Amino acid sequence: MTKMKAETTPTKDAGPSMGRRRFLTGAAVATAGTLAMPQISRAETINWRFQSTWPQQDFFHENAAEYVRMVNQMSGGRLNMELLPAGAVVGALEVQDAVIAGALDGAHGVTAYWYGKNKAASLFGTPPAFGWDANQFLGWFYQGGGEALYNELLQDVLGLNVTGYLTGPMPTQALGWFRSEISGVGDIEGLRYRTVGLAADLMNELGASVTILGGPDIVPSLDRGVIDAAEFNNPTSDRILGFYDVASNWYHQSYHQDCEAFEIVLNKSNVDNLPEELQAILRYAAFAVSSDMYWKAQVRYPADYEWLETEGGVTMHLTPQEILDAQLDAWDTVIENSTQDEFFNRVIESQKEFAQKAVAYHLIATTPKEPAYRHFFGELPLSRRS
């Protein structure tokens, strides 16, 4: 691809609130009777193209839009990011290459989409099920050494001209959408199943035939019978994308993607050329949109779950315990098969050291939630005992 540089265009420079001069077509127009104006420096607007890996109607594209809005607003117009949906420039699985080449200045996706370059990439998006949740995973990234390892992978191990941030904690993802009911591992064997990243290796260990697809391609593939089952992410996204039209059985709880976070990937040269205050805005906007998405999910996910069950005709299931147990065993194999790679092994050891302490404290310090729920609200909507 031809390398494209970020464009710069002049912006209007506002003077003091009293006696403000307006600039028309780039020229200063002085008010009659006033003194000549002093020379005023003009700021530049830096224009970036930023593509998401999600369909325009998806909840995740909305998250990307919020990030862009925050950056544009906090920069006061000095950095103007234009948001594009998946496929506008490149497909969902190709955005990192487009950012490297300069065809895009940045993108919103997940690291699992480029784990083909190095399997350790998935550790920064869909890590093993060490008992942690997505907020604890982000704690490892920003406070436990993960960010330094992420940049080491990108810039030193792979030699790529990119940098980025993790954002948007995602809760445990469902095992997925199935046309027929499943009762154990035997029903997974030979199943044509969609997932991404190390979850693909894990489901292969359970006997599935895994196909890696970007978000926009999943439902059409299910509809045409190219795949038999698939997971994407959450009730809101899955409802918007129309999974309930092509499969009626949805299995909740799984260790294949027990926690996940988004990636905001940026062209490193462009970031390095920004003033420090704009670099800070890019980083802190990633923190802010992380909370924004998590809080919205507390309202949106339960409402869309209820709609899918009551209006969408979906039969809700809990994943059989036999499959959950097999997934944990499969994680052992996936990790063992990859730890001969020195960098992968270092990331795993860093994550395990963090999770062992953080999760242990959480389990000790946090009161069980299910008894409190049952005390005030009664039985859970789904129960293994029902």
Side-chain angles (χ1 to χ4, degrees), residues 66-86:
E66 281 297 306
Y67 177 74
V68 166
R69 183 189 65 79
M70 290 178 182
V71 169
N72 291 348
Q73 186 173 18
M74 287 192 286
S75 71
R78 292 174 61 195
L79 178 57
N80 180 60
M81 298 176 72
E82 176 193 7
L83 177 64
L84 304 167

Side-chain angles (χ1 to χ4, degrees), residues 305-359:
Y305 175 95
E306 182 178 4
W307 186 94
L308 286 166
E309 184 174 33
T310 60
E311 303 293 330
V314 177
T315 302
M316 304 297 186
H317 306 270
L318 289 178
T319 299
Q321 188 65 44
E322 176 187 319
I323 293 177
L324 296 177
D325 293 341
Q327 286 180 324
L328 290 176
D329 291 338
W331 267 122
D332 289 337
T333 303
V334 169
I335 293 170
E336 183 179 354
N337 288 345
S338 301
T339 49
Q340 68 271 19
D341 178 89
E342 184 271 339
F343 180 80
F344 187 102
N345 193 46
R346 277 199 290 126
V347 178
I348 285 289
E349 290 306 311
S350 175
Q351 291 183 337
K352 289 175 72 174
E353 181 181 2
F354 180 92
Q356 185 174 15
K357 296 175 181 178
V359 176

